[in-house]
């Protein structure tokens, strides 16, 4: 591991094979030494959850100059804890989550495993950034985000972030962006969150679903407004 270059620890909640994390790795390669410790399968919606009832394990997937990739049986937050305490030889200069398939704007940030990565890094005093794209498709086009990821990551590597503040960055699903807008988190709530899934034994089962309602849709300072109007939404998350 080349100690002269910044060490960037990367994880996500879509799993180590997701296109979003693969594209993120490509964007970050010129900026530092990359170590990926990501879930071995999708863990969306896991937030900051930890695995406390069973042991977890990790496995080396890929190693080359400037890049090492591991898959982990735990949650996104587990991945960061494991990396810091059992895998890495030095503390990372930056923790990055993403690029997530689907946005993490408004209140969704509280459920996001991608932001669980970021919060875990931030709580341990490491500058941390989450990136998400407003497209859930497996083959989503992340290319418009390329220069913005590099711009934001370069700035944080150079200047750092305030203590216990991390960045939540969301990209609209558009071929190009109007620029970056620093935002506040939109106000809203989820409703109709469960859809029945009946079974033959008579017990009721449910699929998680839902409709999100924005309360302040006209608020030009919100991340939701920025995304609807073609801007990259950057929200500062104050943890304490």
């Amino acid at each position: 591991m080349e100690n002269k270059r910044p060490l960037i620890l990367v994880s996500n909640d879509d799993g180590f094979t997701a296109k979003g994390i693969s594209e993120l790795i490509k964007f970050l390669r010129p900026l530092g030494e990359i170590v990926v410790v990501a879930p071995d399968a999708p863990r969306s919606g896991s937030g900051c959850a930890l695995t406390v009832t069973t042991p977890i394990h990790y496995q080396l997937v890929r190693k080359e100059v400037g890049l090492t990739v591991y898959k982990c049986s735990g949650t996104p937050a587990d991945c960061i804890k494991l990396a810091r305490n059992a895998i890495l030889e030095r503390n990372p200069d930056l923790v990055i989550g993403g690029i997530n398939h689907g946005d993490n704007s408004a209140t969704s940030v509280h459920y996001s495993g991608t932001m669980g990565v970021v919060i875990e890094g931030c709580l341990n005093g490491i500058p941390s950034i989450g990136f998400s794209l407003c497209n859930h498709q497996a083959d989503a086009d992340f290319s418009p985000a390329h220069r913005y990821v590099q711009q934001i990551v370069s700035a944080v590597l150079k200047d750092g972030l305030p203590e216990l503040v991390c960045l939540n960055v969301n990209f609209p699903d558009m071929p190009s962006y109007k620029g970056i807008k620093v935002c506040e988190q939109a106000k809203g709530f989820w409703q109709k969150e469960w859809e029945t899934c009946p079974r033959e034994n008579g017990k009721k089962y449910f699929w998680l679903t839902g409709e999100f309602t924005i309360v302040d849709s006209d608020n030009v300072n919100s991340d939701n407004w920025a995304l609807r109007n073609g801007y990259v939404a950057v929200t500062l998350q104050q943890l304490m």
Side-chain angles (χ1 to χ4, degrees), residues 73-89:
S73 64
T75 67
D78 286 335
C79 289
I80 302 306
K81 285 185 177 295
L82 188 69
R84 292 184 56 251
N85 291 279
I87 299 175
L88 298 178
E89 297 175 355

Side-chain angles (χ1 to χ4, degrees), residues 133-137 140-142 144 171-177 227 230:
L133 175 70
C134 297
N135 185 325
H136 288 89
Q137 300 301 312
D141 181 12
F142 294 89
F171 299 104
D173 186 25
M174 297 177 180
S176 63
Y177 309 137
L227 292 168

Side-chain angles (χ1 to χ4, degrees), residues 158-223:
K158 179 178 181 290
D159 299 324
L161 289 170
E163 185 177 5
L164 294 176
V165 172
C166 52
L167 298 185
N168 178 22
V169 181
N170 286 275
F171 299 104
D173 186 25
M174 297 177 180
S176 63
Y177 309 137
K178 294 179 181 178
I180 294 175
K181 187 173 176 61
V182 178
C183 305
E184 60 190 46
Q185 189 174 305
K187 297 179 175 64
F189 59 91
W190 287 92
Q191 57 184 345
K192 301 178 182 178
E193 294 183 77
W194 295 103
E195 180 179 327
T196 56
C197 181
R199 292 288 188 270
E200 291 182 1
N201 62 9
K203 293 182 180 179
K204 287 189 174 181
Y205 292 77
F206 299 86
W207 282 112
L208 182 64
T209 178
E211 298 176 2
F212 189 71
T213 300
I214 290 289
V215 174
D216 57 347
S217 60
D218 296 329
N219 180 5
V220 298
N221 295 315
S222 76
D223 52 8

Side-chain angles (χ1 to χ4, degrees), residues 37-48:
V37 184
D40 56 11
R43 301 283 194 279
S44 293
S46 54
C48 294

